Amino acid sequence: MFHDSLSKLAHLVIRYPRQTVIFWLLLLTVSLPFSLQITQFIQGGNGNLPKADSLEVEKLLKTHFHFPFAESTIIALESQTYKISDPPFEKIVESLKKIFEKDLSTTKILSFYETKEPPMVSRDHHKTYLLIGQHPDEPKVLEQRTPDMRNKIAGILPILRQWDPTLQVYVTGNAALAHDIHKRSSESTAQAEKKVFAITLIALIFAFGSLTAPVLPLMIALLCNVFALAAL
């Protein structure tokens, strides 16, 4: 029965080649947009255990105590020229603080100049950080704020470096780390697929002994990959 079904299918394909090609092209057109969105749904978690005590405490801090740093991002600053006690360094920190105070997602910002806490300064006094509290939200939303914050810093960095050419500014924290991991994983996967595709093509050329024969199995593999990702 299975052999008869395949025979009928092959007969239809041979009898209606144009309709078959159109069908596959339409199916590819419909599936491709969905397959391109797969990275938005297949992502690593944030490491939280659903029933962990620490997660319950975090929820209490967010909902009942209104703790402004339940979700936070760290802006690290490093200067080879100035120390934390130098006025230019303070001017740079205050300039960055003013930028993120305007952001609607910011709940509160702390720097060494408010707290005077020694842990907020490195031993050589050339490094410090801004602690930026953010409104609680879904992990995906928090991660998406990372490139926005980096873009804001990139926009003002040329001005800040007029005061200190050695200045370095970094965005870090849980959300920023998760964003960087996901971005790097996607880029590495794409590079690996390109390399595997090239190796497979070379192997098929040697196996078939021609340039045209390997095209069909590769096209089938690509179509199956697109359809499978779209189905997910």
Side-chain angles (χ1 to χ4, degrees), residues 98-183:
K98 289 179 180 178
I99 289 177
F100 292 106
E101 282 177 339
K102 300 176 183 178
D103 197 326
L104 296 177
S105 64
T106 300
T107 55
K108 191 174 183 179
I109 302 179
L110 286 181
S111 71
F112 169 78
Y113 300 104
E114 288 87 27
T115 65
K116 304 299 180 182
E117 292 288 341
M120 296 191 74
V121 183
S122 63
R123 292 182 179 180
D124 60 5
H125 286 209
H126 285 280
K127 306 176 187 69
T128 187
Y129 64 87
L130 284 171
L131 181 62
I132 302 179
Q134 295 186 308
H135 287 293
D137 214 323
E138 294 295 325
K140 182 179 177 181
V141 176
L142 294 172
E143 291 176 27
Q144 290 174 346
R145 292 176 186 168
T146 300
D148 294 335
M149 298 179 76
R150 287 173 174 164
N151 289 334
K152 290 180 180 179
I153 292 174
I156 195 176
L157 195 57
I159 298 175
L160 300 180
R161 282 181 174 164
Q162 291 179 4
W163 304 332
D164 180 7
T166 65
L167 178 67
Q168 298 293 332
V169 184
Y170 308 96
V171 178
T172 186
N174 290 337
L177 180 61
H179 171 270
D180 292 342
I181 290 175
H182 294 156
K183 181 181 179 181

Side-chain angles (χ1 to χ4, degrees), residues 13 20 91 119 139 148 153 165 176 183 194 230:
V13 172
T20 302
K91 186 178 180 181
D148 294 335
I153 292 174
K183 181 181 179 181
K194 292 178 182 178

Side-chain angles (χ1 to χ4, degrees), residues 35-52:
S35 67
L36 295 176
Q37 298 177 15
I38 192 66
T39 55
Q40 300 179 16
F41 302 98
I42 300 181
Q43 292 185 348
N46 56 8
N48 290 332
L49 298 176
K51 296 183 180 180

